[in-house]
């Protein structure tokens, strides 16, 4: 008869070998940009079969993909196309829309961040093996500029990541690569984040100096590779260091009207408290404000998650069309780190659509997600893939690898009207929450890679499309994936 279960004695526990602990080998994180002013846009669909629409088709200049017009001389070509379209017979409602587009263009043409996107749509003729232009959409956008709150959020995020990585495996900080899409608010977020990540704050520098003095090492110790601001490069000429960029942005923000939603909500809350109700039987203004906010939030929670698909198959398809190149690059980073002896930190800064659609691909992959109820993803939300290893250091065959996923909802507050916001008037970025436990490396790669076979024929593209400029100088979209991203190498 088997003996009953009993607790191990202290001596027996000492003889029992402990399983080696997991050690961080690589971190791959995708960030949404920091806080911005409200964005506005004017969208127009051109009936390409109409003769008067041809001037806008010619703006594509032979390009078969979306192009972005940013400079004043580029935007003025739209005004010229509008005048030509009028002379070619645009009438009625179409003429009114063109006049409205022209008026908005010249009112916003000199504002920072004003741009126009030309988005062609093609239908593939499978029998002939060609694609025919079916539609053309022009979107004029303005606003969406970096705010003072964004500066604090980006800096705090970089400092916190530096602190966390230094604890988990500081060797990762010696091999850092940062990618960013082309939007101004995204590159600004990446620049300030990079400065905080790779350059110790004054408090950290003072602490290091005190440690050096106490250990008798003196103060004239050269910085470790990759940590000094002089080591910072962006892969292009005449690019300022992140410290300089941070100072410039800070100076510019002194002369810019603050458009932070958080500060507006805080001001509205304070104003509501100071208003006396006219009718004693009616709810106080602050209560009315909370009721209005709760209803708006309920509507937002219903509508916003469906922006990138309603049914699961729609979420996956939109995710494939939007973020497949980014997912490929993430898997490539993980595989490179797993097969090499180096630790690494790879960071991607992008916009809202990519963080949502990338997360949808993860959720649709079949991985065992600890909490499938996903919170609202606000500014600075980020999705992290951590590669861990354990085993003996002398034998590669005995090493075991695992991947852990986590998610931060970003600079978010579930009760923003009652949030205690300090003098910075900026919501703090929330910490990451676990999406999965340590999962076998092969399982994660297999599950995530299943999306690669979902690309429809008409959307087949290479995962790393180089950045191209048309003959008119229009820059094609830059997404945070591979060589079609603006890379910051350290």
């Amino acid at each position: 008869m088997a003996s009953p279960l009993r607790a191990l004695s202290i001596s027996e526990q000492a003889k029992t070998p402990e399983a080696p602990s997991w050690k961080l080998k690589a971190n791959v994180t995708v960030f949404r940009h920091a806080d911005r002013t409200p964005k506005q846009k004017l969208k127009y669909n051109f009936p390409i079969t109409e003769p008067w629409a041809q001037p806008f088709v010619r703006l594509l200049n032979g390009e078969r993909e979306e192009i972005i017009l940013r400079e004043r001389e580029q935007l003025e070509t739209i005004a010229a196309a509008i005048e030509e379209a009028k002379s070619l017979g645009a009438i009625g409602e179409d003429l009114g829309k063109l006049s409205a587009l022209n008026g908005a263009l010249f009112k916003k043409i000199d504002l920072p961040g004003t741009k126009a996107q030309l988005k062609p749509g093609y239908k593939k003729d499978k029998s002939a093996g060609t694609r025919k232009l079916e539609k053309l959409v022009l979107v004029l956008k303005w606003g969406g500029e970096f705010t003072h709150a964004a500066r604090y959020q980006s800096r705090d995020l970089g400092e916190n990541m530096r602190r966390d990585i230094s604890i988990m495996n500081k060797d990762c900080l010696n091999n850092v690569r940062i990618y960013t899409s082309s939007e101004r608010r995204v590159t600004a977020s990446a620049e300030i984040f990079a400065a905080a990540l790779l350059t110790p704050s004054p408090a950290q520098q003072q602490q290091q100096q005190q440690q050096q003095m106490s250990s008798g090492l003196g103060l004239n110790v050269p910085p470790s590779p990759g940590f000094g601001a002089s080591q910072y490069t962006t892969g292009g000429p005449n690019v300022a260091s992140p410290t300089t960029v941070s100072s410039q942005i800070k100076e510019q923000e002194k002369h810019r009207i603050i458009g932070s939603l958080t500060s507006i909500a805080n001001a509205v809350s304070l104003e509501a408290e100071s208003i006396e109700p006219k009718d004693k039987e009616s709810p106080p203004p602050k209560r009315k404000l909370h009721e209005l906010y709760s209803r708006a939030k309920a509507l937002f929670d219903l509508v916003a998650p469906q922006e990138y698909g309603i049914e699961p198959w729609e979420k996956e398809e939109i995710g494939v069309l939007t973020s497949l190149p980014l997912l490929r690059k993430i898997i490539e980073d993980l595989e490179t780190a797993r097969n090499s002896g180096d630790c690494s930190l790879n960071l991607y800064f992008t916009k809202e659509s990519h963080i949502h659609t990338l997360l949808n691909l993860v959720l649709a992959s079949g991985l065992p997600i600890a909490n499938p109820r996903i919170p609202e993803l606000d500014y600075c939300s980020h999705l992290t893939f951590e590669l861990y290893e354990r085993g003996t250091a002398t034998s590669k065959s005995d090493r075991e690898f695992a991947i852990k996923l986590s998610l931060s909802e970003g600079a978010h507050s579930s009760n923003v009207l009652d949030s205690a916001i300090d003098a910075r008037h900026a919501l703090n970025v929330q910490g990451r929450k676990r999406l999965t436990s340590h999962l076998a490396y092969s399982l994660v790669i297999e599950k995530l890679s299943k999306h690669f076979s979902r690309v429809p024929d008409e959307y087949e593209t290479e995962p790393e499309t180089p950045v191209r400029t048309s003959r008119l100088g229009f820059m094609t979209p830059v997404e945070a994936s591979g060589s079609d991203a603006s890379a910051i190498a350290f």
Side-chain angles (χ1 to χ4, degrees), residues 393-464:
T394 56
S395 174
K396 289 186 177 181
S397 59
D398 292 337
R399 304 201 68 74
E400 183 181 1
F401 294 90
I403 295 176
K404 181 180 178 182
L405 278 67
S406 55
L407 177 70
S408 167
E409 56 193 314
H412 178 74
S413 172
S414 58
N415 191 13
V416 68
L417 294 180
D418 294 325
S419 297
I421 299 178
D422 58 20
R424 306 189 309 172
H425 289 277
L427 291 174
N428 295 323
V429 178
Q430 301 298 310
R432 290 185 285 122
K433 297 179 181 179
R434 179 171 64 92
L435 276 181
T436 71
S437 57
H438 289 82
L439 301 177
Y441 170 86
S442 58
L443 171 67
V444 176
I445 299 299
E446 176 188 351
K447 293 291 187 181
L448 294 179
S449 299
K450 78 169 192 175
H451 298 297
F452 295 169
S453 62
R454 284 292 310 274
V455 186
D457 292 340
E458 58 266 33
Y459 293 104
E460 283 187 350
T461 57
E462 291 298 320
E464 296 185 0

Side-chain angles (χ1 to χ4, degrees), residues 140-341:
L140 178 65
K141 296 182 178 181
W142 61 93
E145 288 298 290
F146 206 64
T147 69
H148 79 293
R151 186 173 66 250
Y152 289 120
Q153 292 165 354
S154 301
R155 185 195 65 188
D156 292 349
L157 199 57
E159 290 178 351
N160 291 338
M161 173 159 278
R162 175 186 175 85
R163 188 180 303 113
D164 292 344
I165 296 297
S166 296
I167 294 173
M168 300 180 71
N169 187 352
K170 63 181 180 180
D171 292 337
C172 292
L173 291 172
N174 295 327
N175 185 15
V176 180
R177 292 190 66 84
I178 299 178
Y179 301 85
T180 171
S181 61
S182 62
E183 290 80 9
R184 291 156 54 98
R185 60 188 179 275
V186 182
T187 55
S189 300
E191 294 278 2
I192 296 177
F193 173 93
L197 175 70
L198 300 172
T199 305
S201 66
Q204 292 172 328
Q205 291 175 349
Q206 183 178 4
Q207 183 180 8
Q208 291 177 359
Q209 291 173 355
Q210 292 174 347
Q211 293 175 348
Q212 292 168 356
M213 292 178 66
S214 63
S215 60
L217 295 178
L219 299 179
N220 297 322
V221 179
S224 300
F227 281 73
S230 61
Q231 300 288 331
Y232 182 91
T233 59
T234 60
N238 303 319
V239 179
S241 70
T243 305
T244 303
V245 172
S246 176
S247 300
Q248 293 173 347
I249 292 175
K250 183 176 181 180
E251 185 64 26
Q252 293 171 0
E253 287 295 334
K254 292 181 181 179
H255 307 286
R256 183 176 296 170
I257 298 176
I258 303 304
S260 173
L261 178 60
T262 56
S263 61
I264 294 175
N266 193 38
V268 171
S269 179
L270 293 175
E271 183 178 354
E273 290 179 350
S274 64
I275 300 176
E276 293 293 334
K278 296 181 179 180
D279 185 358
K280 294 182 178 180
E281 296 182 358
S282 64
K286 187 173 182 180
R287 179 179 169 186
K288 289 183 178 180
L289 183 64
H290 280 74
E291 290 177 354
L292 177 62
Y293 175 78
S294 63
R295 292 176 182 177
K297 182 67 165 61
L299 182 61
F300 174 86
D301 290 340
L302 174 66
V303 175
Q306 302 182 37
E307 181 179 359
Y308 304 101
I310 299 176
E311 300 296 331
W313 68 268
E314 293 176 324
K315 293 179 183 292
E316 183 177 6
E317 183 168 317
I318 294 174
V320 167
L321 296 176
T322 305
S323 291
L324 187 63
L326 177 56
L327 180 61
R328 288 183 186 272
K329 193 65 176 65
I330 291 170
I331 293 179
E332 178 185 322
D333 291 340
L334 294 171
E335 290 179 334
T336 299
R338 188 248 186 250
N339 297 326
S340 70

Side-chain angles (χ1 to χ4, degrees), residues 323-360:
S323 291
L324 187 63
L326 177 56
L327 180 61
R328 288 183 186 272
K329 193 65 176 65
I330 291 170
I331 293 179
E332 178 185 322
D333 291 340
L334 294 171
E335 290 179 334
T336 299
R338 188 248 186 250
N339 297 326
S340 70
D342 299 326
C343 302
S344 62
L345 180 60
N346 291 275
L347 310 172
Y348 296 84
F349 283 80
T350 186
K351 50 191 177 181
E352 178 184 10
S353 59
H354 283 68
I355 193 78
H356 277 280
T357 52
L358 176 64
L359 180 59
N360 284 342

